Amino acid sequence: MTGEQLAKIYDEHANALFAFLLNLTRSEQDARDILHDVFIRFAQSTPSEPILHMRAWLIKCCHRMAIDSFRKNAHRTKAHHDSQELTDLFLSSPASNDTEFSQAAAEALHSLPAEQRAVVHLKIWEDMTFAQIGEALKIPANTAASRYRYALIKLKDVLEPQPHQKIV
Amino acid sequence: MNDVENKLRQLQFPRPPENLRSELIAAMRPSPRSGLRDWLWPSPSAWAAVAAAWMIMALLQMSQRAASRDNLSIATKQQIIRYAAMMQQNQSLISQP
């Protein structure tokens, strides 16, 4: 694969993959390293069969490598984990309400288990079907749907104004 | 999709670092070779041919040596027989009155 071919694929998919990795890891450095490794592996690999859905294939690689990274870093102490500064998940917006919502959303997403966060990301920001999500994350489509449902309940609890707040 | 999903969808994620793209493209360029590898690499097939020629020459030389050793041993045996016969003749001549 030439640099030009890789650049074309990078331009098409890097933003989405970086967003997915940032949401999973909440560390810009980790997301960057994983994205780098994914593209290098992709460029050096010779797949036995043609890749039909490039985005899904790359997401699968990113997810696998992010999980590997979590396992490698599992030895880190909780104190170290807590002290680590989380990268801002969303770009700041000039509207103050949006900023509040984006911060609350970032915190709510971070409070979800990684497997739920991955499903939520692929459903909301990648607009994938549960079958596609299941294939990418190597889980049954039903499991993907349940994880999404549970995650959405938690997100709504935090992000949706309560009825009494609406009245006020 | 409900309100929360719609609001979440509108949020924008940061882009990957600018230098990552150039780093990846640079990694795809063939690395400059140096030293012996650089000297050998331009014509690997030529070097393979030279190595094969050396092997053939070595095999030929070994087989020639073996053949000459066989020839030598045959010649030596004949010489010994001839020498023994000569000695026998000498003995018989000496023993004659």
Side-chain angles (χ1 to χ4, degrees), chain A residues 30-48:
Chain A
D30 288 351
R32 184 197 187 286
D33 291 347
I34 295 170
L35 191 61
H36 177 273
D37 290 353
V38 164
F39 274 105
I40 290 292
R41 281 194 192 183
F42 167 71
Q44 290 171 347
S45 68
T46 46
S48 53

Side-chain angles (χ1 to χ4, degrees), chain B residues 6-23:
Chain B
N6 282 328
K7 281 177 89 175
L8 282 171
R9 184 175 276 203
Q10 284 162 15
L11 297 173
Q12 300 284 310
F13 287 91
R15 289 170 180 273
E18 286 294 320
N19 57 352
L20 182 59
R21 187 181 187 276
S22 50
E23 249 179 57

